[in-house]
Amino acid sequence: MFDWQVICLIIVAVLITGISKSGFAGGVGVVAVPLISLKASPAFAVAVMLPLLIVMDVFSLRAWWRHRVGSLVWLMFLPAVLGVAVGYLTYGLFNEDMLKVLLGIFSILFGLWGLFKPQHNRVASGWVGRLSGGVAGFTSFIAHAGGPPLNFYLLQCRLSKEQFLGTAVVFLAATNLVKLVPYSLLGLLNVENLTLALLMIPVAWLGVRLGLVIQKRLSGDVFFRIILTLLILLGVRLIFDGIG
C-alpha cells in the first residue's frame, strides 16, 4: 500500500500534466516524475505515469493529428526509438540514488533552458533534428522528459503554432507507445502500478478540463515560469536526496 504523501504527489503531478497538455501545449509535463520521486522511486514514478500519459495522448491526438508535419515526425522518431533502446539497455546501471541525481540534473537543465531559452533566427539542419529525437527518446524513457529536447529542435523549424503542437503531440504519443515494450520487459508495468494508474484516470480527466479553464484566466508565460521554477527546485532537492 502507498502512504498518503505518495498519493497526494501523484494527484498533483497528474493534475499538472493534464492542465499542461490541454491548456498549455504540454510544455511542462516533465515536472511529474521529479515531483513523485520526492517520496517514491523514479522507476515507480515513470511506471505510474506512462499509462496516464497514453490516455492523455489519445485526447490530444484527436485535436492535433491533422496539423502534424509528417516529415519532421519521421526524422525524429527513428532516432527516438534508438534513444529508448539505449535507456532500456543502460537501465540496470543506475540504482535509485543515481537515478535521482540524474533526474535532478535533467530537471535543473530543462528548467533553466525553459526559462532562458535563446531565440533562433535560422532553421536547424536535419542532423540537429535526429540528435534531438535521440536525446528525447532517452530522456523520455528515463523520466518522460522528451519535451525539452523535442522543443529545442522544433522551435528552430519556423512552424506555425498548429504545426508545432501537432508535430509535438504525434511524436510524443508515438514515443510513449514504444516505451510500453521495454517498461513491460523491465517489470515496471505490474498489476499494482497499473491499478493505481487506472484509479488516477479521473484525476487526469479533471486536469485536462482544468487546463481549458485556467488557460483563459492565466497567461501561458506565467504558468510556464511557475512550473519551470518548481522544476529547478525539485531538481536540487532530488540531487541532495540522491547524494545524501
Side-chain angles (χ1 to χ4, degrees):
M1 296 297 292
F2 305 106
D3 64 38
W4 66 271
Q5 291 178 315
V6 175
I7 297 298
C8 288
L9 287 174
I10 294 173
I11 290 173
V12 173
V14 173
L15 282 174
I16 290 175
T17 303
I19 291 169
S20 175
K21 276 186 172 292
S22 65
F24 301 93
V28 290
V30 65
V31 77
V33 171
L35 187 61
I36 299 171
S37 298
L38 289 176
K39 291 294 181 180
S41 72
F44 166 78
V46 296
V48 169
M49 286 303 300
L50 181 58
L52 293 168
L53 288 172
I54 291 174
V55 170
M56 296 179 195
D57 286 337
V58 171
F59 292 111
S60 299
L61 284 170
R62 292 180 61 185
W64 296 107
W65 172 260
R66 66 184 182 277
H67 298 294
R68 74 196 185 283
V69 179
S71 59
L72 293 180
V73 174
W74 279 111
L75 176 72
M76 295 179 294
F77 177 66
L78 295 180
V81 174
L82 179 60
V84 170
V86 171
Y88 168 69
L89 294 173
T90 59
Y91 182 81
L93 301 178
F94 304 105
N95 60 33
E96 183 174 326
D97 288 336
M98 293 173 64
L99 278 173
K100 285 191 173 184
V101 171
L102 184 62
L103 183 55
I105 292 171
F106 282 158
S107 299
I108 293 172
L109 291 177
F110 292 160
L112 290 173
W113 183 83
L115 288 173
F116 305 108
K117 58 181 177 289
Q119 298 296 320
H120 299 280
N121 296 316
R122 60 187 180 86
V123 178
S125 60
W127 72 266
V128 175
R130 294 183 183 92
L131 180 60
S132 296
V135 173
F138 178 76
T139 56
S140 184
F141 178 89
I142 295 294
H144 301 318
L150 170 67
N151 292 344
F152 174 79
Y153 175 63
L154 291 185
L155 287 172
Q156 303 178 61
C157 291
R158 297 180 182 175
L159 303 175
S160 67
K161 178 182 178 181
E162 290 76 16
Q163 289 175 322
F164 178 90
L165 294 175
T167 303
V169 165
V170 172
F171 172 83
L172 292 174
T175 304
N176 284 336
L177 287 176
V178 169
K179 289 187 294 187
L180 285 172
V181 175
Y183 276 36
S184 298
L185 293 174
L186 291 169
L188 297 177
L189 299 179
N190 54 47
V191 174
E192 188 176 30
N193 291 342
L194 288 174
T195 300
L196 183 57
L198 182 64
L199 293 174
M200 288 292 161
I201 288 179
V203 180
W205 176 86
L206 178 60
V208 170
R209 300 302 302 175
L210 284 174
L212 297 174
V213 175
I214 292 174
Q215 60 91 18
K216 297 178 181 178
R217 294 170 170 79
L218 181 69
S219 74
D221 185 62
V222 171
F223 180 76
F224 284 139
R225 289 187 177 278
I226 291 172
I227 301 300
L228 289 169
T229 300
L230 173 62
L231 184 60
I232 294 171
L233 295 175
L234 288 171
V236 173
R237 171 63 186 274
L238 287 170
I239 290 174
F240 277 107
D241 285 351
I243 63 178

